[in-house]
């Protein structure tokens, strides 16, 4: 969400969102068919992340993560041999 200021006063809000790639829903269906639990690590704020996760059917959301934190999460899961099976970390 971006605030639109005029003369130092907020006069509006602009909602900015990434589009989901067209092939993503089908890819996630295929992963679920294979028994993979879908999770979503993201830099997005929780509200935005939840909307996207619900649209995609992600079971777990890790929001507000820096790129370094996302890499750390993936590294942790890979070390547990769970790179595609996201677990709650907090």
């Amino acid at each position: 969400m971006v605030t639109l200021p005029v003369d130092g006063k907020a006069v509006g809000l602009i909602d900015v969102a990434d589009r989901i790639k067209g092939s993503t829903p089908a890819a996630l269906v295929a992963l679920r068919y294979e028994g993979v639990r879908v999770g979503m690590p993201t830099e997005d704020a929780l509200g935005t992340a939840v909307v996207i996760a619900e649209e995609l059917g992600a079971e777990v959301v890790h929001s507000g993560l820096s790129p370094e934190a996302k890499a750390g999460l993936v590294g942790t899961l890979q070390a547990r041999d769970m790179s595609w099976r996201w677990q709650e970390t907090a």
Side-chain angles (χ1 to χ4, degrees):
M1 192 78 60
V2 178
T3 304
L4 180 62
V6 173
D7 296 327
K9 294 182 182 181
V11 296
L13 296 172
I14 300 172
D15 194 12
V16 180
D18 293 330
R19 294 188 188 269
I20 296 170
K21 187 175 176 180
S23 60
T24 299
L28 295 179
V29 166
L31 287 170
R32 281 189 208 91
Y33 180 78
E34 294 295 323
V36 175
R37 188 171 167 216
V38 176
M40 191 177 89
T42 180
E43 294 177 45
D44 291 332
L46 181 59
T48 302
V50 167
V51 169
I52 295 167
E54 286 177 349
E55 187 174 339
L56 293 174
E59 298 176 49
V60 179
V61 175
H62 298 274
S63 64
L65 299 180
S66 68
E68 295 80 14
K70 287 191 286 186
L73 175 61
V74 170
T76 297
L77 295 172
Q78 287 174 332
R80 294 181 192 167
D81 193 29
M82 299 174 66
S83 60
W84 290 103
R85 292 179 176 88
W86 302 100
Q87 299 294 312
E88 295 284 353
T89 57

